[in-house]
């Protein structure tokens, strides 16, 4: 009899224990799910009461989940109106430079809850056929956003195309312009590397970098080679300064964005008059990929495409030296105009 009572007691204790453990696991899971819904940097806690003009951070994060459906064209007009979403012309454009890190900069800025990026390069201002379609066509290429968010697009061909500064000025004379640059010789080789990869993919032959960058007749730098011309930053910037004051430009150090991205992103936040939201939490170094990846929250991470960080071919050191000497006076002038000095040899 006593043995049966003890067995029954043990059975009851086992059931109660199982219920307690189940309840505890539910609470842990529930708290975890709530944590994922919390903002990374709560606005109220860090910056005091929120003004009526600000969009709640949680609403902005919720909006990110809706964008995919809107971009696929699955959203109805009623859904768009319900969430108060609009397609806005960009308030800032990353205008260049090619192979400077424009994609990395755009993706990293998209970590900010008040920034919405255009996923694809629109090529509106540098493409005559697209430009002829009009500004409304351009606006409809923009992502959905809240009215108080900043829409940003990037098309690095803008920086070197002669017609673009005037065309952008006619759209918005007060727009903010972002230029991301790298050491000019490194950028030129990176430019060549991307083209070379495309040629090899199509089983086409291509000249070595040395033959393209150096004029065989004069043995001097070949300024007709596009990769070289693009790296003469000051020549292109001077064209832009005919329409926009230097205060509307922000120069981003593309080399530093690779090795130490957060300080560069914080400078951009300040330039765009955005409250600081991007933190070290949002950036983590991926040793396998060799560069920083993005962390939006506890469940969503993102790395740039595998095509980023291509290995450059070996280039004759005498050619590198010749190019660096060639770019030096242009670099000095670029420093003077922009007020920013780089550690370029």
């Amino acid at each position: 009899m006593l043995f049966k009572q003890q067995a029954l007691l043990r059975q009851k204790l086992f059931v109660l224990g199982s219920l307690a453990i189940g309840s505890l696991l539910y609470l842990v899971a529930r708290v975890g799910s709530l944590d994922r819904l919390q903002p990374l940097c709560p606005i109220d806690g860090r910056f005091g009461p929120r003004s009526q003009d600000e969009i709640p951070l949680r609403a902005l994060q919720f909006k990110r989940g809706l964008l995919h459906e809107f971009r696929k064209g699955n959203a109805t007009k009623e859904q768009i109106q319900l969430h108060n979403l609009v397609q806005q012309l960009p308030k800032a454009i990353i205008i260049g430079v090619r192979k400077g890190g424009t994609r990395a900069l755009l993706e990293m800025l998209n970590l900010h809850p008040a920034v919405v990026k255009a996923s694809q390069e629109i090529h509106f201002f540098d493409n005559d056929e697209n430009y002829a379609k009009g500004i409304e066509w351009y606006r409809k290429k923009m992502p959905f956003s809240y009215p108080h968010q900043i829409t940003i697009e990037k098309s690095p061909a803008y920086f070197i195309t002669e017609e673009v500064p005037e065309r952008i000025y006619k759209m918005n004379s007060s727009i903010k312009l972002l230029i991301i640059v790298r050491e000019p010789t490194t950028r030129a080789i990176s430019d060549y590397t991307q083209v070379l990869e495309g040629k090899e993919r199509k089983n086409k032959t291509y000249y070595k970098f040395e033959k393209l960058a150096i004029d065989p007749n004069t043995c001097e730098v070949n300024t007709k080679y596009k990769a070289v011309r693009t790296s003469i930053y000051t020549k292109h910037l001077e064209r832009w300064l005919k329409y926009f004051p230097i205060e509307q430009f922000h120069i981003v150090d593309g080399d530093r964005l690779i090795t130490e991205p957060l300080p560069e992103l914080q400078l951009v936040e300040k330039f765009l008059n955005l409250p600081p939201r991007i933190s070290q939490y949002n950036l983590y170094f991926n040793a396998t990929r060799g560069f920083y990846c993005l962390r939006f929250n506890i469940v969503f991470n993102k790395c740039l495409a595998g095509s980023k960080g291509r290995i450059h071919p070996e280039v004759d050191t005498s050619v590198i030296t010749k190019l660096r000497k060639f770019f030096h006076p242009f670099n000095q002038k670029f420093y003077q105009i922009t007020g920013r000095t780089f550690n370029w040899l």
Side-chain angles (χ1 to χ4, degrees):
M1 185 70 177
L2 180 60
F3 176 77
K4 289 184 178 180
Q5 290 178 343
Q6 289 176 340
L8 183 61
L9 179 61
R10 282 197 298 270
Q11 186 177 8
K12 289 181 178 180
L13 289 174
F14 175 79
V15 172
L16 290 174
S18 299
L19 289 172
I21 292 173
S23 300
L24 181 61
L25 290 174
Y26 171 80
L27 289 173
V28 170
R30 180 63 177 164
V31 170
S33 65
L34 291 174
D35 284 344
R36 288 194 292 271
L37 296 176
Q38 297 302 314
L40 299 180
C41 300
I43 292 178
D44 294 340
R46 292 184 59 188
F47 296 95
R50 183 173 63 240
S51 71
Q52 293 182 348
D53 290 336
E54 287 183 320
I55 301 296
L57 182 55
R58 184 175 298 180
L60 297 182
Q61 292 177 328
F62 174 70
K63 189 257 347 150
R64 291 187 189 277
L66 298 173
L67 276 183
H68 181 63
E69 293 301 315
F70 292 148
R71 286 171 180 160
K72 290 193 301 182
N74 293 341
T76 64
K77 289 184 178 180
E78 290 75 16
Q79 288 175 313
I80 294 172
Q81 293 173 353
L82 176 64
H83 296 290
N84 195 31
L85 294 171
V86 293
Q87 288 173 293
Q88 306 183 80
L89 291 172
K91 297 177 183 176
I93 301 178
I94 301 173
I95 60 174
V97 299
R98 173 181 163 91
K99 305 314 299 174
T102 57
R103 173 56 60 183
L105 177 60
L106 183 68
E107 296 293 343
M108 289 178 177
L109 289 178
N110 194 49
L111 288 165
H112 198 291
V115 169
V116 181
K117 69 177 177 71
S119 296
Q120 303 298 323
E121 293 181 10
I122 311 301
H123 289 287
F124 176 64
F125 298 103
D126 67 306
N127 184 300
D128 292 341
E129 184 178 342
N130 287 343
Y131 189 68
K133 295 175 182 177
I135 202 72
E136 188 62 17
W137 177 89
Y138 179 57
R139 186 182 66 80
K140 288 183 179 179
K141 291 292 183 180
M142 294 298 122
F144 286 94
S145 64
Y146 285 114
H148 298 288
Q149 290 180 299
I150 292 178
T151 297
I152 297 180
E153 76 126 324
K154 75 100 174 175
S155 293
Y158 289 167
F159 186 58
I160 63 172
T161 306
E162 291 188 8
E163 299 83 2
V164 171
E166 182 179 5
R167 289 174 175 179
I168 291 182
Y169 180 84
K170 288 180 179 178
M171 179 191 72
N172 182 359
S173 61
S174 62
I175 197 166
K176 292 181 180 293
L177 302 165
L178 294 163
I179 304 173
I180 179 167
V181 293
R182 297 184 66 191
E183 191 277 317
T185 301
T186 302
R187 194 222 65 81
I189 296 173
S190 181
D191 197 329
Y192 166 83
T193 304
Q194 178 169 303
V195 175
L196 175 65
E197 184 181 275
K199 296 287 185 180
E200 290 177 339
R201 196 162 48 240
K202 298 176 182 178
N203 292 320
K204 293 183 178 181
T205 58
Y206 197 53
Y207 293 113
K208 292 187 68 175
F209 176 79
E210 292 88 340
K211 189 170 183 178
L212 294 169
I214 303 299
D215 188 325
N217 297 319
T218 64
C219 292
E220 298 298 329
V221 173
N222 180 15
T223 55
K224 294 181 180 179
Y225 179 38
K226 186 176 180 180
V228 169
R229 290 203 314 273
T230 300
S231 286
I232 308 175
Y233 304 140
T234 184
K235 290 291 186 181
H236 305 293
L237 182 58
E238 286 173 343
R239 189 188 317 115
W240 285 85
L241 291 173
K242 295 177 181 177
Y243 295 91
F244 300 96
I246 194 62
E247 292 77 20
Q248 281 178 234
F249 296 87
H250 178 74
I251 310 300
V252 179
D253 185 341
D255 295 308
R256 192 184 184 199
L257 192 73
I258 296 171
T259 60
E260 195 179 2
L262 184 58
E264 286 299 315
L265 295 173
Q266 290 172 334
L267 289 174
V268 178
E269 283 180 324
K270 185 176 181 181
F271 171 71
L272 297 177
N273 296 320
L274 294 172
R277 291 292 182 270
I278 303 173
S279 69
Q280 197 62 57
Y281 171 84
N282 302 119
L283 303 159
Y284 67 95
F285 186 77
N286 186 313
T288 303
R289 304 292 295 276
F291 49 79
Y292 279 85
C293 294
L294 317 179
R295 181 186 291 115
F296 288 85
N297 52 47
I298 196 170
V299 295
F300 181 48
N301 300 338
K302 180 178 182 179
C303 286
L304 298 178
S307 61
K308 304 301 178 183
R310 296 179 180 90
I311 298 175
H312 293 179
E314 290 188 13
V315 177
D316 189 287
T317 54
S318 65
V319 172
I320 292 177
T321 300
K322 187 182 287 288
L323 283 168
R324 286 177 173 168
K325 287 182 178 179
F326 169 80
F327 287 126
H328 180 73
F330 297 111
N331 295 342
Q332 295 300 312
K333 191 171 184 180
F334 186 71
Y335 301 160
Q336 293 172 2
I337 294 173
T338 62
R340 183 158 194 187
T341 302
F342 299 93
N343 295 321
W344 296 339
L345 297 176

